């Protein structure tokens, strides 16, 4: 499962957000990996728009596994003040985006369709074609 989400960091706190993510606690890194957050990246725009991407078995499940860890509770408390919506922990405020295009999926579908529509020659017609 591929997941993309957005959130919003307060623009005046971008440098602090970047500084904290330059050296995430090793315990937090290990917890994310153990919970199933694979190929996880964050992207930050100068206006505070934060985009996250990860691959996982089930997004609700990996979030639930992280919610059970003490390190996640501490991390979210540390990061909360940097976000616009600080009423909820940052990881509960993610807005999941709908995937509307995936190159690999469309290429696979196009290849499958192409193979399904190609005419096949029967052995008798291939003998005739040799004449």
């Amino acid at each position: 499962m591929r997941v993309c989400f957005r959130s919003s960091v307060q623009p005046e706190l971008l440098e602090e957000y970047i500084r904290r993510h330059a050296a995430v606690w090793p315990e937090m890194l290990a917890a994310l990996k153990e919970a199933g957050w694979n190929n996880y990246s964050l992207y930050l725009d100068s206006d505070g728009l934060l985009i996250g991407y990860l691959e996982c078995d089930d997004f609700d499940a990996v979030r639930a596994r992280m919610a059970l860890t003490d390190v996640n509770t501490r991390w979210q408390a540390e990061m909360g003040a940097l976000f616009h919506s600080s009423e909820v922990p940052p990881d509960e405020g993610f807005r999941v985006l709908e995937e509307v295009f995936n190159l690999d999926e469309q290429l696979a579908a196009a290849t499958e369709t192409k193979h399904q529509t190609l005419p096949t020659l029967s052995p008798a017609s291939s003998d005739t074609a040799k004449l």
Side-chain angles (χ1 to χ4, degrees):
M1 175 180 203
R2 292 179 303 271
V3 179
C4 183
F5 62 83
R6 63 172 281 186
S7 193
S8 184
V9 176
Q10 295 184 54
E12 64 274 13
L13 299 173
L14 294 180
E15 288 181 27
E16 179 63 16
Y17 183 88
I18 292 167
R19 185 187 69 75
R20 291 183 189 185
H21 279 82
V24 173
W25 307 333
E27 185 184 5
M28 183 63 173
L29 298 173
L32 286 163
K33 194 64 176 171
E34 288 170 18
W37 292 63
N38 300 307
N39 200 19
Y40 181 32
S41 297
L42 293 170
Y43 301 87
L44 185 62
D45 198 354
S46 60
D47 65 356
L49 174 65
L50 177 71
I51 300 293
Y53 174 85
L54 69 136
E55 296 169 357
C56 60
D57 56 350
D58 176 280
F59 189 51
D60 291 334
V62 297
R63 288 175 65 180
R65 288 192 287 267
M66 280 305 293
L68 296 174
T69 67
D70 177 61
V71 68
N72 187 62
T73 302
R74 289 185 285 120
W75 180 262
Q76 299 308 320
E78 289 282 324
M79 298 302 293
L82 303 178
F83 287 79
H84 278 292
S85 177
S86 58
E87 300 84 42
V88 297
D91 64 341
E92 291 179 25
F94 293 159
R95 184 169 168 203
V96 176
L97 304 177
E98 178 183 0
E99 182 176 20
V100 296
F101 172 79
N102 180 279
L103 177 62
D104 293 335
E105 287 178 359
Q106 288 204 21
L107 284 171
T111 301
E112 183 178 310
T113 301
K114 182 178 176 182
H115 289 309
Q116 289 174 355
T117 59
L118 287 177
T120 56
L121 297 175
S122 66
S125 63
S126 63
D127 288 341
T128 307
K130 294 179 188 175
L131 297 177

